[in-house]
């Protein structure tokens, strides 16, 4: 496992910590791979009955690391192929899997959120079953800032939580929300002064209950609410493959980096 992600198991509760505090836990390739590997490891641990996701240094995640985005520029044809063609036997492509894999755990996953929760970090939090945030947390589906759409599993999670018009507004604008507004919209489960402590209390309560009933309850709700995963994930990959590297998307990046108004064609 990468040093950029830590796993601690105490009793029946696993804690997974994004550990790049100097980068506000921005997601690079090492961290994305570690998220997938760790979730798969936890799938095989029958003793774990609840999982907590959180970030080191008082911040959940600022989203995708800009260095990762810049590294894609020279191999966009390869990236488009990966977006459109998930690995054999998978519904999620290589960029979606580190996020969607957490929803595949049979046990409940709780995201303890503070600081910022932007872009890919927001999608990671949405992939949890529960989201507990500090009152001063800032949250955003921020991909519009870079001329992109959210494509890391958003279709699997957001329809459970938001009306379509609200989802469109947040996706199209990348507007930053405070925790009380996010709670009111349904993006958060609750707000707590100490979200990690609240998550630990909740995880302990869940772990003390019948594991069969808790697992069945998660399966019941997930399978009742969800749309066919493969179709929606494929749509994410196809739309993003069309957009990424296009003139308008690159203009969005340059305008953001240069702190100027964009000039789209």
């Amino acid at each position: 496992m990468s040093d950029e992600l830590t796993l601690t198991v105490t009793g029946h509760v696993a804690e997974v910590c994004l550990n790049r505090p100097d980068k506000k836990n921005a997601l690079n390739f090492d961290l994305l791979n570690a998220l997938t590997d760790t979730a798969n490891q936890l799938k095989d641990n029958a003793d774990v009955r609840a999982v907590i996701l959180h970030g080191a240094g008082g911040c959940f995640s600022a989203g995708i690391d800009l260095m990762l985005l810049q590294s894609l520029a020279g191999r966009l044809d390869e990236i488009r192929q990966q977006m459109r063609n998930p690995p054999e036997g998978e519904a999620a492509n290589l960029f979606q899997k580190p996020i969607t894999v957490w929803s595949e755990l049979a046990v409940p996953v709780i995201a303890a959120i503070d600081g910022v929760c932007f872009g890919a970090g927001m999608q990671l939090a949405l992939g949890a079953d529960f989201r507990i945030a500090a009152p001063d947390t800032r949250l955003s589906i921020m991909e519009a800032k870079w001329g992109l759409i959210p494509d890391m599993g958003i279709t699997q999670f957001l329809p459970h939580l938001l009306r379509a018009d609200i989802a469109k507004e947040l996706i199209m604008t990348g507007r930053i929300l405070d925790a009380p507004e996010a709670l009111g919209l349904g993006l958060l489960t609750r707000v707590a002064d100490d979200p990690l402590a609240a998550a630990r209390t909740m995880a302990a309560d869940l772990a003390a209950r019948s594991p069969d009933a808790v697992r069945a309850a998660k399966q019941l709700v997930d399978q009742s609410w969800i749309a066919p995963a493969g179709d929606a994930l494929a749509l994410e990959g196809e739309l993003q493959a069309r957009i990424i590297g296009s003139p308008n998307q690159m203009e969005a990046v340059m305008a953001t980096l240069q702190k100027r108004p964009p000039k789209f064609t």
Side-chain angles (χ1 to χ4, degrees):
M1 185 184 302
S2 168
D3 292 338
E4 296 180 342
L5 191 77
T6 65
L7 170 63
T8 305
V9 179
T10 304
H12 295 297
V13 176
E15 291 194 15
V16 178
C17 180
L18 308 178
N19 192 34
R20 300 186 76 208
D22 56 322
K23 300 293 184 180
K24 293 188 176 180
N25 300 316
L27 305 179
N28 59 10
F29 278 122
D30 286 344
L31 192 45
L32 289 171
N33 290 334
L35 282 166
T36 300
D37 292 344
T38 301
N40 284 329
Q41 178 183 340
L42 289 171
K43 285 183 188 179
D44 296 329
N45 190 334
D47 289 333
V48 170
R49 299 181 184 176
V51 176
I52 298 171
L53 284 172
H54 65 103
C59 181
F60 187 74
S61 175
I64 287 289
D65 192 313
L66 289 181
M67 296 298 293
L68 184 155
L69 286 177
Q70 292 171 7
S71 74
L72 304 182
R75 52 191 187 100
L76 284 178
D77 287 342
E78 174 192 351
I79 297 303
R80 291 187 181 103
Q81 285 297 315
Q82 290 177 339
M83 288 176 172
R84 289 175 166 137
N85 299 285
E88 186 174 354
E90 292 280 359
N93 65 35
L94 293 176
F95 302 96
Q96 295 163 336
K97 190 65 176 182
I99 308 301
T100 61
V101 68
W102 296 95
S103 67
E104 298 171 8
L105 269 65
V107 300
V109 179
I110 308 163
I113 308 168
D114 54 3
V116 299
C117 183
F118 291 162
M122 183 68 172
Q123 293 185 79
L124 178 61
L126 291 172
D129 298 287
F130 308 101
R131 284 156 298 283
I132 304 174
D136 58 354
T137 302
R138 296 182 297 147
L139 308 98
S140 174
I141 303 170
M142 192 169 273
E143 284 78 5
K145 177 179 180 179
W146 306 104
L148 296 168
I149 60 166
D151 70 323
M152 299 176 76
I154 194 82
T155 55
Q156 305 308 292
F157 314 127
L158 208 58
H160 300 178
L161 303 173
L162 293 183
R163 296 191 332 239
D165 59 333
I166 301 298
K168 288 175 184 176
E169 182 216 345
L170 297 182
I171 291 171
M172 291 176 182
T173 66
R175 183 165 66 85
I176 296 175
L177 310 173
D178 60 23
E181 182 180 6
L183 178 66
L185 291 175
L187 288 170
L188 298 177
T189 308
R190 72 178 71 147
V191 173
D193 290 336
D194 188 337
L196 183 55
R200 286 170 174 162
T201 298
M202 185 179 192
D205 180 41
L206 292 169
R209 298 177 184 272
S210 165
D212 295 339
V214 171
R215 287 168 179 252
K218 176 170 177 171
Q219 183 180 2
L220 172 69
V221 174
D222 285 351
Q223 293 186 5
S224 299
W225 266 250
I226 199 166
D231 292 345
L233 290 170
L235 179 62
E236 289 183 19
E238 174 61 32
L239 292 174
Q240 192 78 304
R242 295 179 194 173
I243 295 170
I244 193 167
S246 68
N248 277 342
Q249 193 262 316
M250 297 309 297
E251 171 61 12
V253 172
M254 295 307 297
T256 298
L257 294 177
Q258 296 170 6
K259 302 184 186 306
R260 60 171 174 80
K263 297 178 181 178
F264 297 124
T265 59

